[in-house]
Amino acid sequence: MFEGGFARGAASFVADVDAAALRRLVRASLVAFDAGAGRYRVHELVRAFAAERLEALGRAATALARHSAYYCSWIRDRERDLAGAGQAAATDANARGPGNVRAPSRH
């Protein structure tokens, strides 16, 4: 579902995954964590396998809807920030999010 990196909050909202579960996924090398950026990344093969499993279980549409809802809210937050004092941080955040923002339109 996620393209590029994602934050813990995104994983929590989209996949109902808590911090402990993310740590277990990192220890199992299914997810990588970039401590400097504070973001997670899923290898493309793992992401493709997970997408196939969601489809097979009939849960792909629900996952996509949650992903879309999260990133629509994320865009609204960045839009407000771009007009105010948080402009620099919002610009930086926008540079990290494009894959996930565009992902729902490709499904």
Side-chain angles (χ1 to χ4, degrees):
M1 187 75 25
F2 293 106
E3 294 190 13
F6 59 92
R8 185 174 68 197
S12 176
F13 184 88
V14 173
D16 196 24
V17 175
D18 63 13
L22 281 171
R23 284 192 298 275
R24 287 192 299 275
L25 291 168
V26 169
R27 281 195 303 272
S29 298
L30 295 171
V31 173
F33 180 65
D34 179 346
R39 294 176 59 79
Y40 296 87
R41 178 174 291 278
V42 176
H43 188 280
E44 183 59 28
L45 291 174
V46 174
R47 191 179 78 76
F49 175 77
E52 287 178 12
R53 292 296 302 147
L54 282 170
E55 191 68 41
L57 295 170
R59 297 172 60 189
T62 300
L64 181 60
R66 292 182 65 83
H67 183 272
S68 296
Y70 179 85
Y71 282 98
C72 283
S73 175
W74 185 87
I75 289 168
R76 282 191 300 275
D77 291 347
R78 299 298 85 70
E79 183 178 48
R80 282 191 299 270
D81 293 343
L82 283 170
Q87 187 174 18
T91 300
D92 183 50
N94 285 343
R96 293 189 307 260
N100 285 306
V101 171
R102 289 189 306 264
S105 67
R106 290 192 291 271
H107 295 278

